[in-house]
Amino acid sequence: FILGSIAVFTNEIKKGMFSILPKEIITIFTADELELLLNGRPFIDVDEWKEYTNYKPPIYPTHPLIENFWEILQNLSQKKLSNFLQFCTGSSRVPVGGFSELESNRGEISRFTIEMVPYKQNQKNFIKAHTCFNRIEVPSFPTKELLQEAIEFVCQCEIFGFGID
């Protein structure tokens, strides 16, 4: 009964989908496999993320800010990591091929990049994302606690859209 009442709508959705992806290709996948291909991997491996990250000088992988950054991310739940990844890249999931296949909005491989910007005393200091390029600007927080607050702010607010100023 339920399917009958919406059959007209589901048939139109299928027709549209099959006009882009031929039925012969889609039907070889299970629902879970198709979801994975369309949406990416739901699990975020922080070690893999770290491995496929670039750093804009003057920071480098063993810079204290970067070491604190990854340590904080290692201790986040998958939900918070997903929110943070969404903020940084525009997607809450990792590409099927992993972080090595992260793309820019132009469809080109574009590694996640961290850039350090000056910390401004007596002002609000936020992490800023450039989702088109998978790049974030992280203020040079004077303490790990301030960096953690900034990361937690991003994770808890589930920010989707354009910046905070």
Side-chain angles (χ1 to χ4, degrees), residues 75-123:
N75 292 311
L76 295 178
S77 68
Q78 283 294 309
K79 174 66 176 147
K80 286 184 178 181
L81 284 171
S82 178
N83 290 348
F84 194 75
L85 182 63
Q86 173 81 41
F87 172 79
C88 298
T89 66
S91 175
S92 62
R93 289 182 162 208
V94 181
V96 174
F99 280 99
S100 66
E101 294 185 11
L102 200 58
E103 294 181 354
S104 70
N105 68 338
R106 294 182 181 154
E108 302 161 348
I109 298 297
S110 179
R111 281 192 169 189
F112 179 72
T113 302
I114 302 173
E115 179 179 1
M116 186 173 65
V117 295
Y119 178 82
K120 298 174 183 166
Q121 288 287 44
N122 303 319
Q123 291 186 21

Side-chain angles (χ1 to χ4, degrees), residues 118-149:
Y119 178 82
K120 298 174 183 166
Q121 288 287 44
N122 303 319
Q123 291 186 21
K124 293 181 181 177
N125 288 272
F126 295 109
I127 296 172
K128 185 176 181 182
H130 300 276
T131 58
C132 296
F133 311 106
N134 303 320
R135 187 178 80 227
I136 59 171
E137 295 176 2
V138 180
S140 55
F141 292 102
T143 67
K144 182 179 177 181
E145 291 72 28
L146 288 172
L147 174 60
Q148 180 147 8
E149 283 178 28

Side-chain angles (χ1 to χ4, degrees), residues 83 152-160 164:
N83 290 348
E152 287 285 343
F153 177 77
V154 169
C155 295
Q156 291 173 358
C157 291
E158 297 189 33
I159 298 169
F160 302 106
I164 303 173

